[in-house]
């Protein structure tokens, strides 16, 4: 059940990463000024937040694997 719950979050994360990647590729976030978190011009905070979400899911998997499978 825990692996399936994690897999659901991974699937959701991949879907949103693909959506955000498509928006970046089309230039939806581009503007004439620099962003707050990045040195690139535009509103790229969504990209940063998706990266944080993805790494959180990755970190949770490390603990799930260590606790349930190695224990």
């Amino acid at each position: 059940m825990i692996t399936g719950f994690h897999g659901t979050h991974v699937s959701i994360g991949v879907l949103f990463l693909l959506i955000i990647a498509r928006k970046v590729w089309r230039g939806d976030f581009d503007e004439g000024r620099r962003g707050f978190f990045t040195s690139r011009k535009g509103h790229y905070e969504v990209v940063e937040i998706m990266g944080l979400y993805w790494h959180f899911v990755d970190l949770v998997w490390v603990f799930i694997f260590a606790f349930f499978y190695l224990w």
Side-chain angles (χ1 to χ4, degrees), residues 7-67:
T8 301
H9 283 88
V10 168
S11 299
I12 291 168
V14 168
L15 178 68
F16 278 114
L17 282 171
L18 290 173
I19 291 169
I20 296 298
R22 182 172 183 262
K23 287 185 173 211
V24 169
W25 184 261
R26 292 187 331 182
D28 290 349
F29 302 120
D30 290 336
E31 286 188 4
R33 57 188 177 81
R34 298 206 179 271
F36 183 73
F37 290 116
T38 63
S39 61
R40 297 187 67 178
K41 294 183 178 182
H43 291 290
Y44 286 93
E45 289 87 7
V46 175
V47 178
E48 296 287 334
I49 291 168
M50 277 308 303
L52 290 172
Y53 172 79
W54 187 253
H55 288 295
F56 172 74
V57 170
D58 182 42
L59 182 68
V60 169
W61 175 247
V62 168
F63 286 111
I64 288 173
F65 180 77
F67 187 72

